[in-house]
Amino acid sequence: MTPADIFGFVSLTAQCVLRVLGQGSHDGVQTTAEAMIETVLNSENYPISERLDWWNEVCSRLLVPCEVNYDGADGFCSRLGLLDLGGITVATISYPSLRSRRTSRHVRQSDPELYQFAVALDGRHTFSQERRHVCLDAGDLLLYDTSHPNDSQAFADERGRAGVLVVNVPRKVMSLPPAKVDSLMATRIPGDTGVGALLSRFLTGLVRTTDSYRPLDAGRLGVVALDLITATLAHHLDAPAPHSPRQALIAAIYSYIEHNLGAPGLDPPAVAAAHHISVRYLHLLFQQQDTTVSSWIRHRRLERCRHDLAEPLLDHRPIGAIAMRWGFTSSAEFSRSFRSTYGLRPSEYRADVRGCRPER
């Protein structure tokens, strides 16, 4: 979700709370060049009879379409805080005991093709997706996605509160093989030890100290969040039973590609030769990963270029130099691939993340 989407929705929900971290003003909204904006919406600004309908609308517009059911006798109290970290959004959500369902109809209605990485904050939670069922306590981690129906239930703690932190990550920016990542869907990931604890502490600390961030921090914090999520998933993908020779070979190939993206000659024959296998066998291995060697190399090169274009400290570097740094030998080919993947030319993307395009 882009900042334009967020502000468009905020303008339609006049009673929401928009907290701006900084000083100054523009069109009646307090802001500054040194501020990072956090959107905060609270059901207490609405009549009790309207709160559940309002919450369903908020979740559908700012997260994904779903259906929330609440059977409590007390007034429905909920809160949503939203941070945009340059393509990755972090939502902190607080609510009473409830049930939330995303059906096949909701998926057909809207699928932003996101991985959603959740940290259970308060209460207990159950979650089901793709015939998998998991129970979570506070501190546990969970990966799921928006492309399949799911059913979740929250049970409030003694304070009457349940809550989660959800990181929305576009599937296309995840550097791990999709088939591998999907194997961790709807499984409990411990958040109290090892890499999981590191990620959990980073994310919970991130949303507690938003008043100390500047606008340029957003994209960098997003990169850190994505790297930690990737490291956590990779750790648990490697953790079960020792690798078979084939698994070890696949892991070595992915690592080789990642460390040689800047080499113009990185192609299937070069990768196969480096691992003493035939090109045919290499293609077979990647076919089992639901991708191809060339498309994976192109995907990772584009992601590296995208990160460099979003980095303000590299504004002095020409776009062509960034493309060459990550193995593209033709600026025209790079521009076509970038636009096909992200919907913008590289120059437009760089201006977009700086807020320099008039249409923003």
Side-chain angles (χ1 to χ4, degrees), residues 256-257 260-274 293-294 297 301 324-329:
Y256 177 83
I257 290 174
N260 290 277
L261 290 172
L266 183 68
D267 58 12
V271 174
V293 187
S294 297
I297 292 172
R301 282 173 167 166
M324 290 182 63
R325 178 189 181 193
W326 295 113
F328 287 97
T329 57

Side-chain angles (χ1 to χ4, degrees), residues 175-180 237-238 243-259 271 275 277 281-291 293 296:
S175 61
L176 297 173
K180 293 287 188 181
L237 286 171
D238 291 339
H243 281 192
S244 68
R246 174 175 290 193
Q247 289 174 319
L249 175 59
I250 292 173
I253 290 171
Y254 276 114
S255 177
Y256 177 83
I257 290 174
E258 198 67 21
H259 286 89
V271 174
H275 294 85
I277 59 176
Y281 185 58
L282 175 66
H283 286 310
L284 178 62
L285 291 175
F286 271 73
Q287 183 180 346
Q288 295 168 350
Q289 304 296 312
D290 295 325
T291 187
V293 187
W296 183 255

Side-chain angles (χ1 to χ4, degrees), residues 105-155:
R105 176 179 61 84
H106 291 128
V107 173
R108 290 192 298 270
Q109 176 185 342
S110 173
D111 179 17
E113 298 186 357
L114 299 173
Y115 287 120
Q116 296 187 293
F117 197 92
V119 183
L121 299 178
D122 302 294
R124 294 185 300 109
H125 305 261
T126 64
F127 184 88
S128 299
Q129 187 173 60
E130 290 290 278
R131 299 181 181 179
R132 295 180 182 176
H133 183 80
V134 62
C135 298
L136 304 173
D137 291 317
D140 289 337
L141 309 176
L142 172 71
L143 176 72
Y144 55 106
D145 71 5
T146 62
S147 301
H148 299 91
N150 63 61
D151 190 333
S152 64
Q153 194 159 359
F155 303 91

